[in-house]
Amino acid sequence: MREQIRSRLIVVSFIGDLLVVAAMLMLAYWMRFETILKYYGTKVEPTAWLNLDAYKGHVVLGTTLLLLLLGNFRIYAPSYIHSVRRHWRIIGQACALWVLGYLTISLILKVNPPISRVYCVLGGGLCFVALGVWRKVLHVWMSRARMAGKITQQVLFVGWSAESNRLMSIIESDPNHIYDVVGIVPSGDWHDEAPPAHIPRLGDYGEIEAVLARHEVDLVLMTDMGVPKDDLMGVAAACEKAMVEFKLIPSVFQILVSGLHLENIGGIPLLGISRLPLHGTFNSYLKRGVDVLGGLFGLLISAPVIAFFGLMIKLEDRGPIFYRQTRLGRNGKLFSIFKLRSMRLDSETGGRVGWSVKNDPRCLRVGAFMRRWNIDEVPQFWNVLKGEMSLVGPRPERPELIQRFKDEIRHYNARHNIKPGITGWAQVNGLRGDTDLTERVKYDLYYIENWNIWLDFQIMVMTFFKRENAC
């Protein structure tokens, strides 16, 4: 019943978004061509295209594009139906990208009549405000006690693990979550850690049928994967009898969980990690296309910068201006990375391998400035054009360091599922050089699991405003 109500609410939200966007784009047309704004910009004969009938195709195209962007950012995901804060963020991202994408499509397709840039900006701004207000109204309506009870899922934990603890923290920290924990049924000794004391114990492991009969439960989460197979099947059978949803938290998968994929071979289910956003053909070609364009543009505008700082390096410390170093790329493939040299020639005497640190004495004076503003990374646009790197991704490390890290830091090598990048999510969040590697890996894995093209653009913009103090 609750699943049907959530599905209907998603349909309602989609229809509401459709009507709001179409109305705002028509309002944008009226503001642009029927108010004082019609005197701004290029003057066009009224009979040429300044009428709503001629513009209705643009309204349809713009509405379709914005709804596709909202869907791409998962605003219609059932688990986020309550999250107003997330909705505002998604709406802001989608509207900003819509303005750029709408203008680009109109230029590429050479639509007639041509689309006004003022109209696009007005449409994006109006849609952002109106969609946000509409979603807030919908949320207030859903938050009423009667409605909230209909769409909230009552969750019962069977067993406990570290993953259960993290899930519980997420649920408790987000008041807009659709889940409400009713209690826990212990499955034996706590393997990782005991559950919080405030979660009620609703019975013993052998009383699962009675527990489901006494309490209103919509979802049973089995978290203890160490129980015997017969006991596991018994819990699943009890849930089936009580018409309660049954799910597992597979503790063997602690990384790249968004890539979990269930296959069926001859009736035998196989669960594994196989699908990530950048494993999709369209996404991989889209990212590569942005990399090629960005690499060409980056090399073009950075040529004078490279020449100037190359001269500064020569004047301060005789020797090559470029620094070439072997790094590990996608799937463990070695490649040579190019950087403007920021260290003295004797910075790694004796085979010493390591990161630079704050106020590093090995840094050139011009090197400290370059590293602070990421200028030393500019030659890596060549690596991007060669296909060895991407504009955005986990930073590549030296093979000598990785040999140690892969054993010391859990999931370190999972970073190599995609190409390394000139900049990355960890770097723009202050994790570069001599910083906590465990935290860097978390940020890199988050990027891999949650990649979309907007996130890449966001990281690129943040890079320009993120100064480093590595030297």
Side-chain angles (χ1 to χ4, degrees):
M1 181 63 179
R2 286 181 172 86
E3 190 67 33
Q4 292 178 347
I5 293 175
R6 283 198 299 274
S7 298
R8 291 170 185 169
L9 284 174
I10 292 173
V11 173
V12 169
S13 66
F14 176 81
I15 294 174
D17 291 346
L18 173 64
L19 296 176
V20 167
V21 172
M24 290 305 102
L25 293 185
M26 287 189 286
L27 177 60
Y29 165 84
W30 178 83
M31 293 177 65
R32 174 65 180 98
F33 300 116
E34 302 295 339
T35 68
I36 194 172
L37 289 176
K38 66 183 179 182
Y39 299 110
Y40 174 80
T42 305
K43 294 183 178 180
V44 184
E45 290 296 328
T47 56
W49 53 279
L50 296 186
N51 60 82
L52 186 55
D53 286 340
Y55 235 63
K56 62 185 179 183
H58 297 338
V59 173
V60 172
L61 175 63
T63 302
T64 302
L65 177 60
L66 187 48
L67 289 174
L68 288 174
L69 287 170
L70 290 171
N72 176 67
F73 290 122
R74 301 188 64 196
I75 200 172
Y76 304 111
S79 56
Y80 301 138
I81 195 170
H82 264 310
S83 182
V84 176
R85 184 183 303 175
R86 187 181 185 92
H87 288 175
W88 273 108
R89 185 171 67 250
I90 290 175
I91 291 169
Q93 292 175 341
C95 289
L97 194 58
W98 177 86
V99 173
L100 298 175
Y102 196 30
L103 285 172
T104 302
I105 289 175
S106 68
L107 291 174
I108 293 175
L109 299 181
K110 299 186 183 301
V111 295
N112 187 39
I115 298 175
S116 165
R117 288 170 293 180
V118 176
Y119 167 78
C120 286
V121 174
L122 280 173
L126 289 171
C127 287
F128 172 72
V129 174
L131 283 172
V133 172
W134 147 244
R135 285 284 177 161
K136 180 63 177 178
V137 171
L138 181 64
H139 175 259
V140 170
W141 178 69
M142 288 192 302
S143 298
R144 294 187 307 174
R146 182 170 57 85
M147 179 55 68
K150 288 183 178 181
I151 62 177
T152 301
Q153 277 197 310
Q154 307 298 314
V155 179
L156 173 69
F157 282 95
V158 177
W160 198 258
S161 64
E163 289 76 21
S164 310
N165 209 42
R166 288 197 291 271
L167 179 58
M168 188 69 194
S169 298
I170 293 171
I171 293 174
E172 291 182 334
S173 63
D174 186 359
N176 294 318
H177 228 290
I178 65 172
Y179 301 107
D180 183 21
V181 177
V182 298
I184 181 174
V185 173
S187 60
D189 296 332
W190 310 121
H191 295 287
D192 296 314
E193 50 188 299
H198 66 274
I199 302 180
R201 276 62 169 175
L202 302 183
D204 295 328
Y205 184 62
E207 303 173 336
I208 186 67
E209 289 191 30
V211 170
L212 294 178
R214 288 197 304 267
H215 300 274
E216 184 179 357
V217 177
D218 302 301
L219 172 64
V220 169
L221 284 179
M222 187 75 185
T223 65
D224 186 358
M225 300 302 292
V227 299
K229 178 182 177 182
D230 290 342
D231 291 345
L232 182 64
M233 298 301 295
V235 174
C239 292
E240 182 181 0
K241 292 178 184 177
M243 291 185 291
V244 171
E245 192 174 358
F246 174 73
K247 291 184 179 180
L248 297 169
I249 300 182
S251 57
V252 293
F253 296 105
Q254 297 179 5
I255 57 169
L256 305 180
V257 291
S258 65
L260 287 181
H261 173 58
L262 183 66
E263 295 183 45
N264 189 299
I265 300 180
I268 299 175
L270 303 177
L271 180 65
I273 299 172
S274 60
R275 291 180 180 175
L276 291 167
L278 282 172
H279 288 168
T281 302
F282 175 79
N283 286 344
S284 62
Y285 278 107
L286 176 62
K287 186 172 176 65
R288 181 56 184 157
V290 172
D291 285 342
V292 171
L293 293 176
L296 287 170
F297 181 74
L299 280 179
L300 181 65
I301 66 172
S302 65
V305 176
I306 293 175
F308 174 78
F309 282 97
L311 178 60
M312 294 297 100
I313 294 170
K314 279 286 188 182
L315 293 175
E316 183 177 348
D317 186 56
R318 299 293 180 180
I321 64 173
F322 293 109
Y323 179 57
R324 184 172 178 173
Q325 193 177 67
T326 301
R327 297 291 177 98
L328 202 67
R330 183 181 180 184
N331 297 325
K333 184 178 180 181
L334 298 176
F335 70 99
S336 294
I337 197 173
F338 295 94
K339 302 176 71 173
L340 283 170
R341 185 166 62 89
S342 59
M343 296 280 193
R344 302 189 183 280
L345 289 175
D346 59 352
S347 61
E348 291 188 349
T349 54
R352 180 178 55 170
V353 176
W355 289 307
S356 60
V357 297
K358 189 175 181 179
N359 300 319
D360 198 320
R362 300 173 297 164
C363 252
L364 300 171
R365 290 190 301 275
V366 67
F369 179 85
M370 289 192 301
R371 294 176 72 88
R372 188 180 186 190
W373 294 96
N374 301 304
I375 296 172
D376 60 319
E377 313 284 1
V378 166
Q380 290 165 37
F381 285 120
W382 177 244
N383 292 109
V384 172
L385 285 178
K386 292 174 65 178
E388 299 165 334
M389 293 179 65
S390 176
L391 294 174
V392 181
R395 285 296 296 162
E397 298 292 354
R398 302 176 66 167
E400 303 90 345
L401 298 175
I402 290 175
Q403 289 300 317
R404 184 175 80 248
F405 297 155
K406 70 178 183 180
D407 296 322
E408 295 179 356
I409 302 173
R410 296 178 66 188
H411 319 316
Y412 186 84
N413 265 350
R415 302 164 69 251
H416 300 113
N417 274 280
I418 64 172
K419 292 179 184 178
I422 295 179
T423 185
W425 185 234
Q427 284 65 45
V428 297
N429 281 280
L431 296 169
R432 177 183 176 181
D434 189 19
T435 53
D436 188 344
L437 268 178
T438 303
E439 283 299 307
R440 286 169 59 180
V441 170
K442 289 181 182 178
Y443 276 83
D444 288 337
L445 295 184
Y446 173 86
Y447 171 79
I448 294 172
E449 289 190 272
N450 297 277
W451 178 89
N452 60 65
I453 198 65
W454 173 259
L455 181 58
D456 272 4
F457 288 132
Q458 178 183 344
I459 292 172
M460 283 186 251
V461 171
M462 291 174 68
T463 301
F464 287 103
F465 300 97
K466 189 67 181 179
R467 294 183 296 176
E468 301 294 340
N469 294 301
C471 285

